[in-house]
Each structure stands twice: as C-alpha cells, then as structure tokens.
Amino acid sequence: MKKYFQSVLCALLALVFVQNSYAQVLEPSKWEHTTSKKEVNIGDQLDLIFTATIDPDWYLYSSDFDPDCGPMVTTFNFEEDASYELVGGLKAINPIEKFDDIFECNVKIFKKTGVFKQTVKVLSEKINIAGNYEFQVCSDIDGKCIPFDYDFEFDGIKVLAKSTAVEQPAAEKKEEVIKQASEPVIIPDATVDVDTAKTIEKTSIDYSKAENQGPILDPDLVIESERDKSLIWFMIFAFVAGLAALLTPCVFPLIPMTVSFFTGQGKNKGQAIIYGLSIIAIYTIIGSAIAPIMGPETANHLSTEWLPNLIFFLVFVVFAISFFGLFDITLPSSVVNSIDRKADKGGLIGIFFMAFTLVLVSFSCTGPIVGSILVSSAGGEFLKPILGMFAFSLAFAIPFTLFAIFPGWLSNLPKSGGWLNSVKVVLGFVELALAFKFLSIADQAFHWGILDRDINIAIWVVIFTLMGFYLLGKIRLPHDSPLEVISVPRLLMAVGTFTFVIYLIPGLWGAPLKALAGYLPPMYTHDFNIFANKYSDDKYELCEEPMYGDFLHLPHGIQGYFDYDQALACARAQKKPLFIDFTGHGCTNCREMEAVVWSNPEVLKRLKEDYVVVALYVDDKTELPEEQWYTSTYDNKVKKTIGKQNADLQIRRLNNNAQPFYILLGADEKVMVSPVAYDKDVNNFIQFLDEGVKQYKALY
C-alpha cells in the first residue's frame, strides 16, 4: 500500500510539473547499466553497475540516507528469479554529504555522475536479472525536483559450465594474487571477489616515483547552499563579520580615541558622517583592489610581519601610558591649525586620514576575516567582493560614526567624580594587556623566543591585578579625583577583574585556559607545564624525523609533520589518510579549534591513531635554501619562505586562503571529504574524521 501511494504521489508530481512547464519534458539524467564481467561460472559473483550521467546544475539523491528525512531516495527493486540471488545490499559509490535546507536534515547526493552497485551470485546457466529503479533529481538553480521510474534488464551475460578445477583454499588464492600484485597489476579471476581484487590493485600502486602535484579538490566537494550563492546572504554574512571585527583586540580600544578626536577638535555631525563614509570607502576600494594587485596572501603577510606588529605593540603601549596620565597625545599646533583651516574651507583631509589610520591599525586583526573576500576578488569575481567589503566596512564604521556624532555618550559622565578619567585608565590597562598580542604574533612567526606563554600570562596577571586594585580605589593616578565611595558598577567590575586573575593563575603551571587560547602564545612555549604528560603518546611512531620540527609544533602531544611531501610519503607508507591543517602563528581561530575541539579525547584519539597529521603554517617567515625557491603559477611571484610556499599551495590547489582549513587526503592526493573550516562543534569534527577514514577504506 505504501509503495502504491508513493507511486501515485510521484505520478501526480510529474503531472503537475509537466503542466507547469508547458508540456516541456525534462530528463536531467541519463542512465546506463552494465556488469563487471561478461563471462561467469555458475556460483560466481558479479557486480551490477548502474551509472547516472547528471546534467549541470542538477543533482541526484543517493540511496543511503534516512528515507524518512523527506527527499525521495534512490531505490532498486529486483524481480525474484531462481537464476540468481542478491549478495549484500545496494552500494552508492562516494556520494556527497549535504545539509538540505528545505527538509532540514542531512542527505547524500550525486553531481555530474552517480554510481550504484549491487552484487549478485549466479545460480543457473540461463540468468534473468530484471527490475526497476526509482529516483529523484533536483535543480540547483530554480529548486525543481522531478521523480522518475525506469525499468532495467541485463542481457549479454554468458554463463559457462560449472568449473571442474580443484577448488583452491581461499587463503592460498589470496596469497597467489598478492604475489602477482608485486608485478604489473592483473585483474584476479572469478575465484576472488571483486572487493578483494580492487583492494589488492589499489594498494599495489607505487607512488615512490610519482611527482607530487598537491591536493586535488573535486569542485563537487565544495558544497554551496543556495544561501551561500546569494549576494544578499553573502552581504549579511560580511556585515556580521564586520560586527565581529569590532570585538578584536586591536579594534575596540580605538573607539574612545575616536571620541577624544571629535570632542577635542570640535568636529560637527556632518564631518562625523564623512568620517564613517571614509572608513567604508577605504575598506571597499583598497580591499577590492589589493587581491588582483598583490594576491590574497597579502593579508596574512601584513598581519604577521614583524615591523607592523612591533609598531602596533608600541602604539598600544604609548596609548596606555597616555591614558594613565603621563602625557597627552596631541598633534603639533601647526598641523592642527592647518587641518582646521582646511576644515573651515570644507577640506576634510584630517577626517579622511583619521579614518585611514583606523583602517591601517585595525587591519592586523581584520585581515584574516576579509581574506575569503580577497580570494574571490583575485579569482576573477568583481561584484561579489566589492559588495562584501562594503557590507563588512558598513558594520565596522557604524559604531565609530555614532560615537563621533554623539561623543556625549562617553564624555557626559559626572566630572566631579572623575568618571571619564577612570574609564580612560581602565582602557589603558586593557590596551596594555592587548599590546602583547602583537608582540606575540611577531615572536611566533620569526621564532625569537622572547615572549613565552608563561611570561605572557604573568604579565597579564600583574596588569589585571593592578587594574582590580585601581577599581577598588587602592591605586590613584595623576588625574584621578578622590574616591570616597565605590559605586556598585565599579565594585562589580573589580569582582570580574579579580575573577579573571584567578582564572589566569593556573595557566602559569600549564592549565589550558581554553577561553583565551586564541590570545595567548601556544602551549609549546610554556617552560613549566605540569600538564605536559596529559596528552603524551609514546606509542605513535613517525616514519622519519619531521622537517622543521625544532621550531614548529603540533598541540596535545600529536606527532606529525610540517612539510607536505614528507607527510604524504609517510601517509602512503603507513596506509593512512593524511590530515592537513592549514594554520598560522597569528591565527586566533586555529588556537581556539586546537584548545576546544582537538583536545576532546575522541578527536585526539582519531588524529593520533587514524591519520598522519601535517600542520602547514602559512605565515612562517623561515627562509628556505635558494634551491627550494620557486615561482608560483598563481601570481608569478618567487616563494622563498615556508609560509609563502604553504600559502601558495592552499590558494593554488584549493582556491582558499582562510585559516583554519582542514583537508583529508588519500594516497593519490585527492581530497576525500568536503573540507572543514572554523567550527567548534566537536561532533561535527568527529563526523568529519570518521567519514575520511570510511572513504579511505573504500577507495584504497
């Protein structure tokens, strides 16, 4: 009854579709069926192979997901016959996993080509295999879905007389085939099952003389939903990214500086709006132009280069000292008078350069966020990166513009109580603490070794302890008013500050401090770590000593590599899939993923036991020997450092420059599962790793 109802429903859907399409009959897929052998003996097994060729912009639902999810799964119905019997169930070969936005569940689909296999055992000389299959294809463009129901019948299968040869034990048969595998691969005879033959054939491939090309990513594995393809949703995503950028350590302390600039210089609301528009214009123009001119890896270069980071470090220290009251930062009178004269005449150079300074100082933190937009621009897209950068800068500029228009939001605090100066001093403590983030990035990228994790934590403990005492009135600075009574908000801030200090203290002895993983130097820089043996694993053996292992590291005791070719060779030798981690010294999200997701025992077990792991740092400044330099085919620039070459590999082979970026690779360098980026859901990451192992076993 259920099958009858489904058939009626499919027929009605097809009829409605035909009527709405003005009698235009669409067939977005073409099917063929064949067998793995043309001649078999009675008692042999053979594969029935169904191949669907799918039109562009259409996809076919697979057979191996929950049929109650909603979409129509592909089903094969075989007519019962005494001449054969089914062996096992139907197999869908490498479908693509996808989250269906309409049905809100996980499904599996095929694009371009879909393959299904069913194994049968031959029982009679006259074999009769027939049946029908039902499936559904849908469009990526307009959301059309069409159900189909086709019949099939296999002919041309020649069944020989039952073999009279003495049956050879199965173990001896496999040994014989394995011996043959050392020579040019020979397809086994009918006495060895197809899966065993394929396993022997694939494991016998010799990759030792093959020249590595880099990861090979099938475009079908880059799953883009309709939401991702929409410019409106893309702009919404960019807008949210702009709001998130305001919370980065090198952006939000600049808001009070903006207020000071506009209140101190007597700017009007119209000029404040021009200030916000200047931010938008600078980000949109420079952000859209930088990719085709210099390449998308420029963002990583600027955010990890030693000179800009040292400058930002010194700027934040100077700002902090100024907020403490040692001196006031003012422009030279001649410059101020010149800008004022131009403002009186309608010139807005000062406003523009204030906005330009904000963009430059904040770019160290915002660069990685806009990296994906720059890749789109470098890849030849024009409208999308411009609109994305516009939306990003719009969200980024709104708070600065509003504070510039309404500076009273900060400056109208009661003067008698010294509230305004207290706010400045607290921001000074915060800026002083965050200044060390810039020094840490340069220190890691260039391996100076001057700011280890425990030293950074010690500095923060001192800074925030002093800040807590300041909030309680135990410390007074030059411009503070006498504090006779501590207000409730001030007391609560002091409680929060000391709580944060107590949270930091265990970190001096190696506690992970997961909430701050992205803002502190990595754990391997810690000199005294009582938790060092928590993730140790002496059982794991590497194929050879990792290159660059003396200054590059993996977290949680994971033993791995830092060179793609070396790691791939080991993965092939150990017959394991390769886990590629595109990461960076200055990548905050990378550290968060390692602290929150990688540290999970189930994730860690899989990384250590099921994979060969390689961490490819895209921002490392170590210069390689000249004989290892090469000119990239992507931007025609010479790649001299470890970071430049790793970044070029990611961009050139995977069309991506964001970190973190995780790839699961097979022995033939093909990406087996859709790549994963920043996602702190542990279950999603476990599913990603498990799917990689499953695909590796099926393919190799």
Side-chain angles (χ1 to χ4, degrees), residues 574-603:
Q574 295 189 359
K575 294 182 173 56
K576 290 182 178 181
L578 180 63
F579 176 92
I580 303 179
D581 170 24
F582 285 100
T583 185
H585 296 293
C587 175
T588 299
N589 288 340
C590 300
R591 302 294 86 79
E592 284 193 50
M593 285 292 293
E594 293 165 2
V596 177
V597 179
W598 288 32
S599 62
N600 180 274
E602 292 299 317
V603 173

Side-chain angles (χ1 to χ4, degrees), residues 344-579:
D344 293 338
K345 295 178 182 179
L348 298 172
I349 296 178
I351 304 297
F352 177 81
F353 277 101
M354 181 65 180
F356 192 71
T357 301
L358 169 67
V359 172
L360 289 179
V361 172
S362 63
F363 190 75
S364 178
C365 288
T366 59
I369 299 177
V370 303
S372 59
I373 301 176
L374 296 181
V375 165
S376 297
S377 178
E381 297 186 39
F382 180 75
L383 184 61
K384 187 175 180 179
I386 291 178
L387 292 178
M389 289 299 293
F390 171 79
F392 172 87
S393 56
L394 178 64
F396 190 74
I398 285 175
F400 288 95
T401 305
L402 290 177
F403 276 107
I405 295 175
F406 305 106
W409 288 357
L410 287 181
S411 62
N412 62 356
L413 296 174
K415 295 182 180 180
S416 58
W419 284 85
L420 183 59
N421 190 70
S422 297
V423 171
K424 290 176 62 178
V425 171
V426 169
L427 286 175
F429 280 113
V430 175
E431 285 198 344
L432 184 60
L434 295 178
F436 289 93
K437 171 63 177 176
F438 299 106
L439 181 59
S440 173
I441 292 174
D443 179 55
Q444 294 169 50
F446 288 89
H447 312 294
W448 294 337
I450 60 177
L451 188 64
D452 292 344
R453 186 174 183 272
D454 45 355
I455 295 176
N456 199 144
I457 294 175
I459 293 173
W460 278 20
V461 168
V462 172
I463 290 174
F464 287 103
T465 299
L466 293 175
M467 177 177 161
F469 284 125
Y470 174 81
L471 290 169
L472 293 176
K474 303 301 181 182
I475 298 175
R476 284 184 57 189
L477 293 175
H479 300 295
D480 284 329
S481 302
L483 184 64
E484 298 179 358
V485 178
I486 299 175
S487 65
V488 173
R490 189 161 182 155
L491 178 63
L492 293 177
M493 287 183 63
V495 171
T497 302
F498 282 117
T499 300
F500 181 65
V501 171
I502 294 174
Y503 173 77
L504 286 174
I505 290 176
L508 293 171
W509 290 273
L513 305 182
K514 293 184 179 181
L516 300 172
Y519 296 90
L520 292 171
M523 187 69 74
Y524 69 80
T525 65
H526 209 100
D527 291 332
F528 180 64
N529 186 358
I530 63 175
F531 301 94
N533 295 326
K534 179 179 179 181
Y535 300 109
S536 63
D537 187 0
D538 299 331
K539 298 180 180 179
Y540 183 85
E541 294 184 1
L542 295 173
C543 299
E544 57 182 328
E545 189 70 21
M547 298 168 59
Y548 321 124
D550 54 334
F551 57 88
L552 296 178
H553 304 272
L554 283 161
H556 312 313
I558 297 174
Q559 301 296 312
Y561 294 92
F562 310 97
D563 176 79
Y564 173 78
D565 292 330
Q566 188 183 31
L568 181 60
C570 185
R572 287 167 172 170
Q574 295 189 359
K575 294 182 173 56
K576 290 182 178 181
L578 180 63
F579 176 92

Side-chain angles (χ1 to χ4, degrees), residues 34-37 45-51 91-94 115-119 174 177-178 181 185-189 191-205 207 575 695-700:
T34 185
T35 58
S36 58
K37 305 172 186 177
Q45 294 183 2
L46 78 156
D47 283 344
L48 309 179
I49 304 171
F50 301 85
T51 303
K91 297 178 182 178
I93 308 302
N94 300 329
V115 180
F116 301 86
K117 292 184 180 181
Q118 173 65 58
T119 303
K174 290 189 177 182
V177 176
I178 292 172
V185 177
I186 299 173
I187 299 177
D189 61 21
T191 57
V192 180
D193 63 89
V194 175
D195 290 337
T196 302
K198 289 186 176 181
T199 301
I200 295 170
E201 178 182 355
K202 291 180 179 179
T203 55
S204 65
I205 297 176
Y207 293 101
K575 294 182 173 56
Q695 292 294 333
Y696 186 86
K697 290 179 178 178
L699 294 171
Y700 308 99

Side-chain angles (χ1 to χ4, degrees), residues 45 60 133 154 163 279 438 585 596 629:
Q45 294 183 2
L60 164 72
Y133 49 95
F154 286 87
S163 175
I279 296 174
F438 299 106
H585 296 293
V596 177
W629 298 357

Side-chain angles (χ1 to χ4, degrees), residues 330-346:
T330 58
L331 293 173
S333 58
S334 59
V335 176
V336 174
N337 293 333
S338 175
I339 294 176
D340 285 341
R341 284 194 298 269
K342 291 181 180 180
D344 293 338
K345 295 178 182 179

Side-chain angles (χ1 to χ4, degrees), residues 612-679:
V612 171
V613 179
V614 57
L616 300 180
Y617 283 82
V618 301
D619 56 4
D620 191 84
K621 308 301 180 182
T622 304
E623 186 168 306
L624 296 167
E626 187 171 355
E627 60 269 17
Q628 296 183 29
W629 298 357
Y630 69 87
T631 300
S632 172
T633 57
Y634 179 81
D635 58 10
N636 295 319
K637 293 183 179 181
V638 179
K639 306 302 178 183
K640 302 180 181 181
T641 66
I642 292 176
K644 289 284 187 181
Q645 293 192 3
N646 288 335
D648 179 67
L649 178 69
Q650 183 182 1
I651 295 168
R652 181 168 43 85
R653 302 297 301 182
L654 302 168
N655 194 33
N656 185 285
N657 81 325
Q659 293 82 42
F661 195 61
Y662 305 114
I663 299 291
L664 304 183
L665 219 62
D668 55 1
E669 297 187 271
K670 290 184 179 179
V671 179
M672 301 180 296
V673 182
S674 297
V676 166
Y678 178 71
D679 181 2

